[in-house]
Amino acid sequence: MCPGSFDPVTNGHLDVIRRATVLFDEVIVAVAGNPSKRSMFTVPERVGLIKQSLTDLPQVTVMPVDGGLLVDFCRRVQAVAVVKGLRGGTDFAYELPMALMNRHLSGIETVFLSGEPRFEHVSSSLIKEVATHGGDVSGLVPDHVLARLLERVGRVGQTENGQPDALG
Ligand code: PNS
């Protein structure tokens, strides 16, 4: 089980999901709505963007978490482990209590994969912030995510400095 908000999915997330398929026969990407975070994309939109990114991996299923506890969802789909990527110590400090709580609640183990250094600076929140202010995030998210992101922040047809480009 690879859980997260994925608002939106980044190339860092996709690297972890792909690497999880090397370790496990089946991987479920669980997309959670997080009420404490303001989201840019709805859960169904995020599910769609992830699905579009992983069409070459039939062993990956992408589904929304229905709002309950992740461990209950894991039990329902008989997941044997939770997989998370760690970019560094800050991620570890955030993830460790969740891993311990999930194990406390249900016995499920969390497997931590080291984040790919190329994507160490990549998070959904930074991607949104940079894109909102006209920065270039290409190469950090898949192209179809980039297109939706630019559409959402109203920067389609603009160059990086906010001027209309040849198209628009
Ligand atoms: O990408 P995020 O926002 O860091 O993902 C956090 C997420 C969604 C994995 C976490 O908040 C979660 O598991 N939420 C489901 C509700 C739940 O089980 N909460 C208790 C976690 S110990």
Side-chain angles (χ1 to χ4, degrees), residues 3 6 11 24-26 36 43 76 83 100 105 111 119 121 125 127 157 162:
F6 305 107
N11 285 343
F24 299 96
D25 294 334
E26 276 182 60
S36 66
V43 169
R76 267 205 304 284
V83 177
L100 292 172
L105 290 170
V111 175
F119 303 128
H121 55 305
S125 43
I127 291 288

Side-chain angles (χ1 to χ4, degrees), residues 3-6 13 32 34 37 65 67-71 84 94-95 97-99 101-102 105:
S5 306
F6 305 107
H13 292 132
N34 187 340
K37 288 186 185 173
V65 186
L69 285 175
L70 183 71
V71 289
K84 288 285 194 128
Y94 173 69
E95 295 294 347
M98 289 202 283
M101 181 57 82
N102 286 334
L105 290 170

Side-chain angles (χ1 to χ4, degrees), residues 17-95:
I17 296 165
R18 286 180 183 281
R19 286 160 57 204
T21 66
V22 179
L23 299 175
F24 299 96
D25 294 334
E26 276 182 60
V27 172
I28 297 173
V29 181
V31 182
N34 187 340
S36 66
K37 288 186 185 173
R38 225 182 52 198
S39 59
M40 180 175 277
F41 296 98
T42 65
V43 169
E45 283 173 330
R46 289 180 241 162
V47 167
L49 290 173
I50 301 169
K51 280 186 178 166
Q52 249 185 292
S53 312
L54 296 167
T55 47
D56 58 318
L57 290 177
Q59 68 274 52
V60 178
T61 310
V62 188
M63 46 177 85
V65 186
D66 52 16
L69 285 175
L70 183 71
V71 289
D72 292 334
F73 189 69
C74 286
R75 231 184 246 128
R76 267 205 304 284
V77 298
Q78 298 180 310
V80 294
V82 174
V83 177
K84 288 285 194 128
L86 294 180
R87 285 162 298 192
T90 310
D91 277 354
F92 185 66
Y94 173 69
E95 295 294 347

